[in-house]
Amino acid sequence: MRTSRIRTATLAAVTAALALGLTACGGADGGSKAAGGDAAGSAQSQSASNEGGKGGAEQANPGGDTKEGARSTTASGGTGGAAGKGTTAGAQQCRGDEMLLTAVHQLAGQQGDHLLVTASNKGTKPCWVTSYPVVKLGDGVDGAALPHSKKDNAGGGRHLTLQPGGTAYSAVNLFDYGSKNHTAQSFALALRGADGHNGPSYSVAIKGEKPQFSWNEADVLNWSTKKPYDF
């Protein structure tokens, strides 16, 4: 009888220990799952944080701004749509003997009287012009060159690249006050270099219905791929 009680007590103890062991294992599994859930939540939070950081970077430096910046760099580098798309590597300064230089007298005797100057690249390679042309009106090649217009847009220091067949425009603004004026039908033009030195001068005859022009004062506009006065 005593032996039976001992066996019963032992069996109960083993059963209780086994139950406690199973409970502990279940708790461990639940803890692992919970830990796994926390880890997944942490990963999602980190991913969301990374996405938020990415979004912040895009807002701070969006693709549009980057492209615009590239356009700005290309523009300060001097390439224009009419002159040729993209940056031209290795382009040399335009030479007068490879350029077709023409001028047309527009709005003769009216407000806005000017000479529209056109320079076309007739060479086989791209070349660039910069600033504004050196212009001396009339036959006085040894006279003083006209000043740059104070009302002109900024950006004359950039290189304006002309592809073969490309064209750049400038204008000579004429101011005739009716007394002590000068009259001519041609002028001398030289291309200005980036180093400040001027190339050789070339005589440009005026075209149009009234090739003769008069002036008391005059100034010059920067080269551009667009006509300065597009009538």
Side-chain angles (χ1 to χ4, degrees):
M1 185 70 177
R2 186 176 178 181
T3 302
S4 177
R5 288 178 181 176
I6 291 173
R7 289 179 178 176
T8 303
T10 302
L11 181 60
V14 172
T15 302
L18 181 60
L20 288 174
L22 292 173
T23 302
C25 290
D29 290 343
S32 298
K33 290 179 180 179
D38 291 344
S42 176
Q44 290 176 359
S45 176
Q46 186 175 2
S47 176
S49 176
N50 290 338
E51 289 178 359
K54 182 179 179 182
E58 288 177 351
Q59 290 176 4
N61 188 18
D65 290 346
T66 302
K67 292 180 180 179
E68 187 63 29
R71 287 194 200 104
S72 298
T73 304
T74 304
S76 63
T79 52
K85 297 180 180 179
T87 303
T88 302
Q92 301 294 321
Q93 182 177 355
C94 295
R95 293 177 6 193
D97 58 353
E98 294 183 346
M99 304 292 289
L100 175 62
L101 303 172
T102 61
V104 179
H105 191 191
Q106 296 186 331
L107 294 180
Q110 306 177 46
Q111 185 175 2
D113 191 350
H114 68 280
L115 305 176
L116 177 63
V117 182
T118 302
S120 301
N121 180 9
K122 294 303 180 182
T124 58
K125 298 180 180 181
C127 66
W128 55 262
V129 294
T130 188
S131 190
Y132 59 98
V134 181
V135 175
K136 298 179 181 180
L137 297 180
D139 298 328
V141 177
D142 296 331
L146 297 180
H148 179 227
S149 173
K150 296 180 180 179
K151 297 181 179 180
D152 197 6
N153 296 325
R158 64 194 178 102
H159 288 183
L160 192 64
T161 302
L162 304 180
Q163 299 291 341
T167 300
Y169 301 94
S170 177
V172 178
N173 299 314
L174 303 171
F175 305 99
D176 186 356
Y177 301 118
S179 62
K180 297 182 180 180
N181 59 350
H182 309 279
T183 302
Q185 294 187 12
S186 64
F187 62 88
L189 184 148
L191 299 177
R192 194 181 300 272
D195 57 358
H197 293 86
N198 303 329
S201 295
Y202 296 87
S203 179
V204 180
I206 308 301
K207 298 181 179 180
E209 296 180 358
K210 297 182 178 180
Q212 181 171 296
F213 59 93
S214 300
W215 78 98
N216 293 101
E217 296 179 5
D219 54 32
V220 189
L221 300 181
N222 288 324
W223 290 113
S224 174
T225 56
K226 297 181 179 180
K227 293 182 180 180
Y229 304 105
D230 193 5
F231 300 108

